[in-house]
Amino acid sequence: MSSLKTLVFFATPPHDCSYLDDRDATTMFVDPRATVDKKLYSQLTALGFRRSGSHYYRPHCEHCSACIPVRLNVNHFRPDRGQRRVVRQNEDLTFNLVRAELTEAYYELYARYIEQRHHDGDMYPPSREQFSSFLVEGATESYFLEMRKNKTLIGLAVIDALDDGLSAIYTVFDPDEEHRSLGTMAVLWQIDEARRCQLPYLYLGYWIRECRKMSYKTRFRPIEALLNGHWQTLPNDG
């Protein structure tokens, strides 16, 4: 079994940044031959790593530190007026946590989301192989949160269980239901689930101040950021 002391890391050559124009990015990966169990995955996450399928990575850019790992202490979180409104808007939905797997219904929702919301991104065009390698493979404890309206699947959030919390991996939803703010709703549900499981943290991945698509993360307060190797609360203007 691998440990932090025995892990080997690799860095990619510089490549175009997916989030900031005119910048190069370098990514550090855990050796894919390593055996990463839940304990090691939890330790890596606390150090700022993320999971994408079977790969564990973090930004390692020489001249840029814009990607900041963020997490919520769920016991300190209190929803604001807008977040309470999102909960009310979705009171007609049912939520069900299931094991992560590839089904035709899940893939069809994912494909619609990528085709209509991210047709200019790295994940276009979608494929079943991409869905499985990105969202199903790799984790020791990974789940899908189904969001259904009258039994129809309209949202799907991918969640990993860690020793000290949950990790919000990805969320897709029916583009016709955009008015429901299902991305925000999924985070709010995961906050409640972490509390129910008596886990202190919900990890939200990376936040980039200049990236508009990530601005929603700092609406959850108080939010903690990994800065200079230490988790610390971001100021309200952060």
Side-chain angles (χ1 to χ4, degrees):
M1 189 64 63
S2 302
S3 68
L4 282 179
K5 293 182 179 180
T6 63
L7 282 181
V8 176
F9 300 90
F10 298 98
T12 66
H15 53 276
D16 290 341
C17 180
S18 300
Y19 300 105
L20 300 175
D21 294 335
D22 303 320
R23 296 200 196 183
D24 287 337
T26 301
T27 306
M28 178 189 294
F29 282 94
V30 172
D31 185 344
R33 295 169 296 183
T35 301
V36 179
D37 62 5
K38 184 179 179 182
K39 177 182 177 181
L40 182 54
Y41 180 22
S42 301
Q43 293 171 331
L44 287 168
T45 302
L47 292 172
F49 281 79
R50 293 286 285 172
R51 181 181 73 85
S52 176
S54 299
H55 300 289
Y56 300 84
Y57 71 94
R58 66 171 295 170
H60 191 63
C61 304
E62 185 176 359
H63 302 295
C64 179
S65 56
C67 293
I68 301 173
V70 290
R71 71 184 185 185
L72 282 171
N73 186 318
V74 300
N75 294 314
H76 295 165
F77 170 76
R78 297 294 180 271
D80 62 20
R81 181 181 301 177
Q83 291 157 349
R84 292 195 297 270
R85 182 170 62 249
V86 169
V87 173
R88 292 195 298 271
Q89 288 174 337
N90 292 291
E91 288 179 341
D92 59 327
L93 301 187
T94 57
F95 300 86
N96 188 35
L97 197 64
V98 299
R99 281 283 183 175
E101 63 176 336
L102 170 61
T103 70
E104 195 61 24
Y106 296 160
Y107 175 72
E108 288 177 359
L109 180 66
Y110 170 84
R112 284 193 63 202
Y113 177 81
I114 297 298
E115 289 167 354
Q116 296 190 38
R117 301 271 302 188
H118 295 285
H119 54 84
D120 57 347
D122 297 339
M123 297 169 66
Y124 182 87
S127 69
R128 288 168 179 79
E129 180 182 3
Q130 176 198 70
F131 178 99
S132 185
S133 64
F134 174 36
L135 300 179
V136 178
E137 297 174 3
T140 54
E141 290 189 30
S142 189
Y143 302 90
F144 286 170
L145 172 64
E146 298 178 338
M147 293 172 271
R148 294 182 180 272
K149 181 178 70 172
N150 298 326
K151 298 185 179 181
T152 299
L153 184 70
I154 64 170
L156 194 70
V158 186
I159 307 167
D160 284 355
L162 306 171
D163 288 341
D164 65 345
L166 302 177
S167 181
I169 301 297
Y170 202 65
T171 300
V172 301
F173 55 83
D174 184 340
D176 293 340
E177 300 287 347
E178 183 176 7
H179 63 281
R180 288 180 175 270
S181 300
L182 290 178
T184 296
M185 185 64 236
V187 173
L188 293 169
W189 189 95
Q190 289 171 77
I191 291 170
D192 286 342
E193 179 67 8
R195 287 172 174 163
R196 285 192 291 269
C197 296
Q198 297 184 329
L199 297 170
Y201 299 116
L202 174 62
Y203 290 87
L204 295 176
Y206 300 112
W207 169 69
I208 300 174
R209 185 187 298 272
E210 298 90 345
C211 183
R212 182 181 58 82
K213 292 181 179 179
M214 294 188 181
S215 62
Y216 76 92
K217 297 184 182 184
T218 55
R219 298 186 192 126
F220 295 88
R221 294 288 180 174
I223 194 165
E224 298 180 3
L226 185 60
L227 300 170
N228 300 316
H230 300 281
W231 287 99
Q232 50 194 284
T233 301
L234 278 178
N236 285 336
D237 58 350

